[in-house]
Amino acid sequence: ITLDSVSTNVEDNTVDVWLSFDEGEKYYVRNITWVGNTIYTSEELSDMLGMEKGDVFNQKKLNDRVKDDEDAIGKEYYNKGYVAFRLEPVEANVVEDSIDLEMRIAEGPQATINRVLIHGNDRVYENVVRRELYTRPGDTFSYDALERSFRAVANMGHFEQTTINPDVRTDPSDASTVDIDWQLESKSNDQVELSMGWGQTGIIGRVALKFTNFSMYNLFHKSDNYRLFLPQGDGQTLSLSAQTNGQYYQSYSISFLEPW
């Protein structure tokens, strides 16, 4: 902005703002060089970056391709366990309307998972949650595995999806390991269905109950993990239903579903 001015119109209580711009020169990418990379070749990184010699220099696109896009370079490294990865684009040289970019990379060590912690789970046994996880101690850290674990835990139905938070913690003094702390908030997803009507044969009705955290094992073994009269904790599904068609027809059903 090279010039600005403000004028007040007293009669209609308005203000006029005037701005003059100097847009400057348009710059183009000339050379892109990569420094410090060993996991990917410079050609592979250039393909990931998606910027070529002669392209108009676009700072937002550069930032997106480095760290923000779903397939950004930083996330590709992160997915392979390089949680300490750093990439700093430097304008190494500016000649007339052309920019030389030097992409300085610090890859760091490939991290493995040290501990997997679970907090906020007070409905199901911890082993029921852990068997849904693809992030296990000793595995190489993977962002894809973290996302798959998130979806699996969300699909269990025992936790508030909007508050599931896998907190990846790194040790500043040792980037070769990470801890994953799953922050969960339990919820109940049992279901009750009641329906009633009147027909030629009398009252027509149906009752259905669905318990989603049932434990068949605790039904036959002593345990303090009960909710009302039902043993719980193993994430199994128990469905009970009964219906009647007046005096001529009654039916009952029980179904049991093991999560896996």
Side-chain angles (χ1 to χ4, degrees):
I1 299 175
T2 58
L3 180 66
D4 63 84
S5 62
V6 178
S7 61
T8 304
N9 302 313
V10 179
E11 294 180 356
D12 57 0
N13 294 324
T14 61
V15 175
D16 294 330
V17 179
W18 302 87
L19 300 174
S20 296
F21 292 90
D22 179 4
E23 295 182 334
E25 299 293 331
K26 180 181 287 188
Y27 286 85
Y28 300 85
V29 176
R30 187 171 67 170
N31 297 313
I32 301 176
T33 57
W34 300 87
V35 179
N37 54 300
T38 62
I39 307 303
Y40 294 103
T41 66
S42 296
E43 291 75 15
E44 290 173 327
L45 291 172
S46 293
D47 289 339
M48 293 181 195
L49 184 64
M51 299 176 67
E52 299 179 350
K53 183 175 182 177
D55 287 352
V56 174
F57 179 76
N58 186 328
Q59 185 67 57
K60 182 180 184 305
K61 180 178 179 180
L62 180 62
N63 293 338
D64 290 343
R65 296 308 304 151
V66 167
K67 60 181 180 180
D68 293 334
D69 286 346
E70 284 297 321
D71 57 345
I73 295 172
K75 291 185 179 179
E76 293 294 332
Y77 270 93
Y78 197 66
N79 190 44
K80 289 183 177 292
Y82 293 91
V83 295
F85 168 82
R86 297 291 182 272
L87 195 165
E88 181 183 2
V90 176
E91 297 176 11
N93 195 20
V94 179
V95 179
E96 296 180 351
D97 64 349
S98 298
I99 298 175
D100 292 337
L101 290 176
E102 186 175 277
M103 313 294 283
R104 299 175 182 176
I105 291 177
E107 294 174 335
Q110 190 177 33
T112 57
I113 300 172
N114 180 32
R115 295 183 302 168
V116 178
L117 309 174
I118 298 175
H119 292 98
N121 168 39
D122 56 10
R123 277 182 49 81
V124 299
Y125 291 126
E126 186 167 303
N127 68 292
V128 176
V129 180
R130 287 187 178 274
R131 70 189 181 192
E132 301 294 330
L133 301 180
Y134 298 90
T135 54
R136 298 181 175 89
D139 291 349
T140 300
F141 177 81
S142 166
Y143 186 72
D144 284 346
L146 191 69
E147 284 195 324
R148 291 177 65 193
S149 299
F150 180 93
R151 291 193 295 268
V153 172
N155 289 336
M156 292 178 69
H158 299 298
F159 307 103
E160 294 289 348
Q161 294 190 17
T162 57
T163 59
I164 298 175
N165 177 31
D167 184 16
V168 181
R169 300 178 179 179
T170 58
D171 186 346
S173 62
D174 181 13
S176 63
T177 61
V178 298
D179 293 338
I180 303 177
D181 189 352
W182 288 89
Q183 301 289 338
L184 307 176
E185 181 181 347
S186 296
K187 72 171 185 178
S188 175
N189 60 342
D190 296 336
Q191 299 177 11
V192 177
E193 178 187 342
L194 298 173
S195 61
M196 185 173 294
W198 183 266
Q200 293 181 348
T201 57
I203 296 177
I204 301 173
R206 183 175 187 273
V207 177
L209 303 175
K210 183 178 181 181
F211 304 97
T212 58
N213 191 27
F214 186 72
S215 174
M216 183 66 74
Y217 179 85
N218 287 341
L219 182 64
F220 300 103
H221 297 80
K222 185 178 179 180
S223 171
D224 295 330
N225 197 4
Y226 268 71
R227 186 182 182 193
L228 299 178
F229 60 91
L230 286 174
Q232 64 173 2
D234 282 328
Q236 298 161 341
T237 300
L238 176 66
S239 299
L240 307 173
S241 67
Q243 62 184 20
T244 178
N245 187 18
Q247 56 182 321
Y248 299 107
Y249 176 77
Q250 293 87 30
S251 69
Y252 309 93
S253 68
I254 299 177
S255 65
F256 174 78
L257 177 65
E258 176 71 34
W260 71 310

